Amino acid sequence: MGLFGPDKITLTLEKYNFKPGDMIKGNIKLNLKKPTKARKMEVSFIGSRREQYRDHSGPHNRSTTRTETVQVFNFTQPLGYEKEYQDESFDFEIKIPSDIIQQTKAPQGQLDGTLGKVVAISAALSGRRVYPIEWKIKAELDIPMKFDVNKSQKIILSEV
């Protein structure tokens, strides 16, 4: 149930825990009050990571913290194109790449040996903090000149 009545979009997944190489299967159900012209209907598999930086350039040389979200992976699959949508259902399948963990490693995680340690130490000393990747599935109906209708669901992607 949405804030002002029934949800306009529902996203349902068969399961919520995945490994590289698995297939994400799900369904998107639209429940719009009236026919609505939209540019497209799509589903995305997204990985994003928060990165936090300490900045010493504030007033009186005080330390400030800045947090930024970096998208490390985005696969978008179209499910429908420009037309009127109202009450429709879309089944989808997205294959998780087998090498997704290697594709999305943090920059300091890509270097081995002494150089990797130097990069990790300099990142720590500069106040940079990298958080684990958060994975989600996002369904979105792109409506021109209005708020898009979307829904997302966090999932867990673990190494084998």
Side-chain angles (χ1 to χ4, degrees):
M1 189 71 143
L3 187 59
F4 300 106
D7 284 336
K8 294 179 180 180
I9 188 170
T10 306
L11 172 62
T12 308
L13 302 175
E14 282 187 0
K15 63 181 188 172
Y16 301 92
N17 296 313
F18 299 93
K19 294 180 278 205
D22 282 356
M23 187 72 74
I24 301 170
K25 296 180 183 180
N27 178 272
I28 300 164
K29 173 84 174 99
L30 291 175
N31 183 26
L32 306 175
K33 291 181 183 176
K34 60 183 181 179
T36 304
K37 187 168 176 79
R39 286 186 200 125
K40 61 187 171 187
M41 176 70 207
E42 60 189 17
V43 63
S44 300
F45 171 42
I46 301 168
S48 56
R49 170 180 39 240
R50 284 185 325 137
E51 296 183 4
Q52 199 171 58
Y53 304 91
R54 202 169 349 169
D55 185 7
H56 297 285
S57 63
H60 308 292
N61 204 21
R62 288 189 184 163
S63 176
T64 59
T65 303
R66 178 175 50 101
T67 303
E68 175 178 305
T69 300
V70 177
Q71 203 169 82
V72 296
F73 187 85
N74 187 348
F75 172 79
T76 300
Q77 178 178 318
L79 299 174
Y81 296 96
E82 192 163 339
K83 66 175 194 164
E84 282 193 345
Y85 293 86
Q86 186 173 7
D87 292 322
E88 295 182 54
S89 183
F90 304 89
D91 291 325
F92 66 89
E93 291 184 353
I94 298 173
K95 176 132 172 83
I96 300 172
S98 299
D99 63 346
I100 194 162
I101 302 298
Q102 291 77 27
Q103 285 183 34
T104 57
K105 283 200 183 254
Q108 71 264 25
Q110 294 174 347
L111 299 172
D112 293 328
T114 307
L115 184 57
K117 289 177 185 173
V118 169
V119 170
I121 290 169
S122 68
L125 291 174
S126 69
R128 180 172 181 238
R129 185 170 179 188
V130 177
Y131 292 87
I133 298 172
E134 291 186 357
W135 297 97
K136 69 180 176 181
I137 300 297
K138 181 179 179 185
E140 184 170 23
L141 182 65
D142 181 5
I143 304 170
M145 308 293 278
K146 294 188 179 178
F147 288 112
D148 293 342
V149 176
N150 62 61
K151 182 72 124 195
S152 64
Q153 173 64 54
K154 286 186 179 181
I155 62 170
I156 296 170
L157 179 62
S158 56
E159 293 184 52
V160 185

